[in-house]
Amino acid sequence: MTSVKICGITRVDTLELLARSHADYVGFVFAKSRRQVTPEAAGEMLRKVPEHPAAVGVFVNPTLTELERVLSAAPLQVIQLHGRETPDFCAEVRRKFSLQVWKAISIEEGRELSDELESYRPHVDAFLFDTHDQQLAGGTGKRFAWTEIPRLRMLAGDTPFFVAGGIHLDNLGELLEGYRPDAIDVSSGVETDGQKDHGKITQLLERVREYDKQDRN
């Protein structure tokens, strides 16, 4: 089964849709972004939809104090680190909060990743492979070269990974059929005019489930 994370939600009706549609994960962005939410707003949404998908908090270079403050207001299941956090920091976050830790890794042409991924593997529960951007830590809406996915799968070893960046309804089939990722992370690809589009979210989740059903047959 292909896990699906819909990231960057800001409204409770979107969370309600994800709960009804059985999305696997929902992402709340606490780093600076046009999709940023406060811990209090995220916590209120999660309390209003108790049967919500697993909640992921997206952070860029946070301190332990910042993480503690967010977690006191928003009951997250996963901490996603999207900056220059070290393997030791990832280990400390996992130890201190007893939550899953996912590490985002920027993918750019020619970048050697084997040593980097090996250093993180003992300390994280999943990788998120996203498109490199000089200004943005994520949410670029751009895809990296998916031909890299087989190499990334080999380097990740037994650590699950998400593919993120530039996934939308028009290229979803190419990604699923050609590369069979463990999981996908989608944000701008299910938006219209900068807002989450419930029709696009529904279509994407239906297509992923249909693909999984055909793949099993």
Side-chain angles (χ1 to χ4, degrees), residues 100-207:
Q100 285 195 36
V101 173
W102 299 352
K103 182 68 183 81
I105 304 291
S106 295
I107 306 302
E108 59 182 316
E109 186 177 356
R111 183 179 178 189
E112 175 50 54
L113 292 170
S114 58
D115 290 345
E116 181 177 0
L117 294 187
E118 186 172 348
S119 70
Y120 281 106
R121 279 173 55 190
H123 308 300
V124 302
D125 299 281
F127 290 117
L128 187 139
F129 297 129
D130 201 356
T131 308
H132 175 76
D133 187 278
Q134 293 283 9
Q135 280 76 43
L136 299 174
T140 66
K142 303 173 184 175
R143 59 186 267 186
F144 62 87
W146 288 345
T147 51
E148 288 288 294
I149 292 175
R151 180 176 74 96
L152 295 172
R153 176 177 281 111
M154 179 184 68
L155 294 176
D158 57 2
T159 304
F161 66 90
F162 286 73
V163 172
I167 302 169
H168 50 72
L169 290 169
D170 291 337
N171 63 19
L172 178 65
E174 175 191 351
L175 176 61
L176 296 178
E177 293 169 17
Y179 301 100
R180 301 188 178 195
D182 299 329
I184 61 174
D185 183 323
V186 187
S187 184
S188 61
V190 288
E191 292 180 345
T192 298
D193 297 328
Q195 299 294 322
K196 289 293 182 285
D197 184 317
H198 289 194
K200 289 181 178 178
I201 291 172
T202 300
Q203 286 185 66
L204 182 133
L205 290 168
E206 287 177 347
R207 290 188 190 180

Side-chain angles (χ1 to χ4, degrees), residues 83-104:
R84 294 186 294 275
E85 302 87 0
T86 65
D88 285 346
F89 183 80
C90 293
E92 176 65 10
V93 169
R94 192 158 66 166
R95 184 198 64 77
K96 181 175 178 63
F97 299 110
S98 299
L99 296 174
Q100 285 195 36
V101 173
W102 299 352
K103 182 68 183 81

